[in-house]
Structure formats: C-alpha cells, structure tokens
C-alpha cells in the first residue's frame, strides 16, 4: 500500500455527520445550512473558513467516507469533477468573481486537516490574497446566505449545466 490512513481512532467525521444528517459532535464546525446540495455520490458544502480578504468558498465531498484522493473510485472522482465545474459556474453567476480556483490536499504534509476527501472551489479576486494562508472563520449566517445564493444560481436557467430536482437527494 502506498499510503496509510491518518484518521485518528474513534474519529467523528464532520462531513459524514453533515451529509448523513447525524447529530454533530462537539468539535464539528459545520452547520446544517452549510449543505448546498447532495447527489448520490457527492455533496457541495460551504466551508467554515475563508482565506484572504473574502469568505465563502465551497467544498465538494464524497458522500461515502473516503479519506484522500488515493481512495476515490472512478465514478466518485468523475462526480467530484463534474460538481466542481457546476459549482464554479454557479459562483460566476451568483457572485461575479474575476476567476475561480480549485485545490485539494492529502495527508498532514499535504496540508489536509479533515480526514474526508474535499475539493475546495474558490471564487477569485485580484486582491483576495488566497495563497497567503490568511485563514479566518466565516459566520454561519454568512455561509447560509452564500449557500442560498449558490442554490439559486445552480437551478438558474442561465447556468450552462443547471441542477434539476431529480439530480439531488437533498
């Protein structure tokens, strides 16, 4: 095996608690309103942290508990990329950023902090200082508002690949 799990014993996965509608553990920073939508294989959720001058980015996660890129099967990997593109386009509609970026981390040395795969999707602005690692908490209210803005954009007839009610579980 080329990699090993870094998940601690008895790990309470915050993303699994969210997508499975379970009670949140004490250290879970997610909020129920962070769930933007969920399909059979993946979910789009608001991140609790912002970077640089802006708050409000999205993470695409598998609904199954898969720790890292190495653990993804082809169908889940394809679904993650499809929804990453769909969310980036929704950001363009909802927030009119100057661009978008994606990134993903594996293992502690790769800067992974939650032991559940997640692909970050960022709206980008010339002055956002994203890569300076100026991390800050984004309020639940701001995340809920941005999640709703993205939901509207995702179902908009102006979206090139809009979601339909048949696409989502919740």
């Amino acid at each position: 095996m080329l990699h090993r799990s870094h998940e601690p014993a008895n790990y309470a996965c915050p993303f699994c608690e969210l997508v499975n509608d379970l009670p949140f553990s004490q250290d879970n920073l997610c909020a129920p309103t962070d769930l933007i939508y969920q399909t059979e294989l993946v979910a789009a959720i608001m991140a609790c942290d912002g970077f640089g001058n802006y708050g409000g980015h999205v993470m695409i996660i598998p609904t199954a508990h898969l720790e890292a890129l190495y653990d993804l099967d082809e169908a889940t990997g394809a679904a993650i990329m499809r929804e990453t593109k769909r969310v980036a386009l929704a950001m363009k509609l909802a927030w009119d950023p100057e661009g978008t970026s994606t990134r993903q981390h594996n293992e502690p040395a790769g800067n992974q902090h939650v032991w559940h795969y997640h692909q970050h999707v960022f709206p980008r602005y010339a002055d956002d200082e994203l890569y300076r690692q100026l991390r800050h908490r984004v309020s639940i209210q701001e995340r809920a508002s941005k999640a709703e803005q993205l939901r509207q954009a995702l179902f908009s007839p102006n979206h090139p690949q809009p979601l339909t009610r048949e696409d989502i579980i919740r």
Side-chain angles (χ1 to χ4, degrees):
M1 177 168 253
L2 295 177
H3 72 95
R4 66 177 179 80
S5 174
H6 294 277
E7 179 180 301
N10 301 315
Y11 182 62
C13 178
F15 298 163
C16 287
E17 291 174 352
L18 179 62
V19 299
N20 293 306
D21 202 21
L22 298 172
F24 284 7
S25 57
Q26 180 179 344
D27 296 330
N28 191 336
L29 299 175
C30 295
T33 53
D34 289 338
L35 180 67
I36 301 167
Y37 67 95
Q38 182 173 333
T39 70
E40 179 184 346
L41 294 176
V42 300
I45 66 173
M46 293 302 298
C48 64
D49 287 336
F51 292 86
N53 302 325
Y54 297 90
H57 75 280
V58 174
M59 294 182 293
I60 308 299
I61 63 171
T63 55
H65 184 74
L66 301 170
E67 183 175 327
L69 176 67
Y70 323 119
D71 302 315
L72 299 181
D73 59 83
E74 288 186 25
T76 302
I80 287 166
M81 192 50 61
R82 182 176 50 253
E83 299 312 316
T84 296
K85 178 181 176 184
R86 192 185 321 250
V87 165
L89 289 165
M91 285 178 176
K92 294 292 285 177
L93 277 174
W95 304 332
D96 195 30
E98 297 167 24
T100 60
S101 288
T102 64
R103 70 181 188 194
Q104 192 274 321
H105 309 281
N106 299 285
E107 302 180 277
N111 204 31
Q112 185 176 9
H113 301 286
V114 176
W115 308 117
H116 187 122
Y117 175 96
H118 50 290
Q119 169 87 13
H120 296 265
V121 185
F122 295 96
R124 295 302 307 275
Y125 306 91
D127 65 343
D128 65 21
E129 300 182 330
L130 175 64
Y131 294 109
R132 291 198 51 217
Q133 298 296 325
L134 303 173
R135 188 179 207 143
H136 57 88
R137 191 77 61 227
V138 178
S139 74
I140 291 172
Q141 296 78 12
E142 182 177 356
R143 294 181 345 234
S145 173
K146 290 189 177 218
E148 183 54 36
Q149 292 164 2
L150 286 174
R151 256 184 238 102
Q152 289 177 18
L154 285 157
F155 285 98
S156 168
N158 296 325
H159 193 296
Q161 297 173 329
L163 278 174
T164 66
R165 295 289 171 205
E166 294 78 39
D167 293 327
I168 62 171
I169 293 172
R170 59 187 196 117

